[in-house]
Amino acid sequence: MTGCDDFLTAENRSNVTDKDHFSTESGFETLVNNAYEKLREIYASSSYTTYFHAGTDMYGDGRTNINDELHEYETLNPENSTMKTLYTDCYKGIRAAYAVKYYALGANIDESLRNKRVDEARTVAIQFYYILVNTFGGVPLMKEYVSDIETGYPRATAEEVYTYMIEELEEVIAAGAMEASTAKKGEVGPVSKRPGLCWPRPTWLLPGT
């Protein structure tokens, strides 16, 4: 009698936990890249014009209406699919940004790089909150990475959201972990620090660039 136990015994070489993967420098960088990538869902979206110009004097309908519900506020309600997508994508971006801080403590990387990446991600999260509060007013505040299913976040006031945004940016600026911007006109890159300002430069994410 012959057998083939060795042949049939499976070895799952891809069975790596999230903490194992993100503890490496290359794995951790994928988290950072993912946080930046979420900005594409906003700034490189086909709905970019609808998000930021509908309902203002900055845009006029051409031969094709932009979105009557938003441009002229006709039958506008919370189930508007375009704005529902914007709302959802912003919170996906916030969660992706907070994931950087969540996994940073266990990452086997240089401490200065860890601090830099965490503060970059915190600033990216604030960019998403900036879009949310300017579009919807007060929104639920999530201040940490959510690893489990949680529901029922209370809606914060617009003032509370802005206060949180300012406090986060002031802490990031004071920490001094991010590099000062050396970008010239037309150049793009990650979040950088400028005198009195710390903000993403997502020019590369705009449609057509």
Side-chain angles (χ1 to χ4, degrees), residues 14 18 23 27-28 46 57 66 90 95-96 104 117 121 124 138 146 150 153 157 168 197:
S14 65
D18 55 344
S23 67
F28 182 71
S46 60
D57 293 331
I66 180 172
C90 281
R95 185 175 187 273
R117 294 303 192 216
V124 170
V146 179
E150 296 184 28
Y153 285 95
T157 65
E168 280 287 282
L197 179 65

Side-chain angles (χ1 to χ4, degrees), residues 108-122:
N108 185 25
I109 57 177
D110 181 76
E111 188 66 18
S112 61
L113 178 61
R114 186 197 324 276
N115 295 336
K116 181 176 181 290
R117 294 303 192 216
V118 169
D119 283 355
E120 282 183 26
R122 290 172 69 185

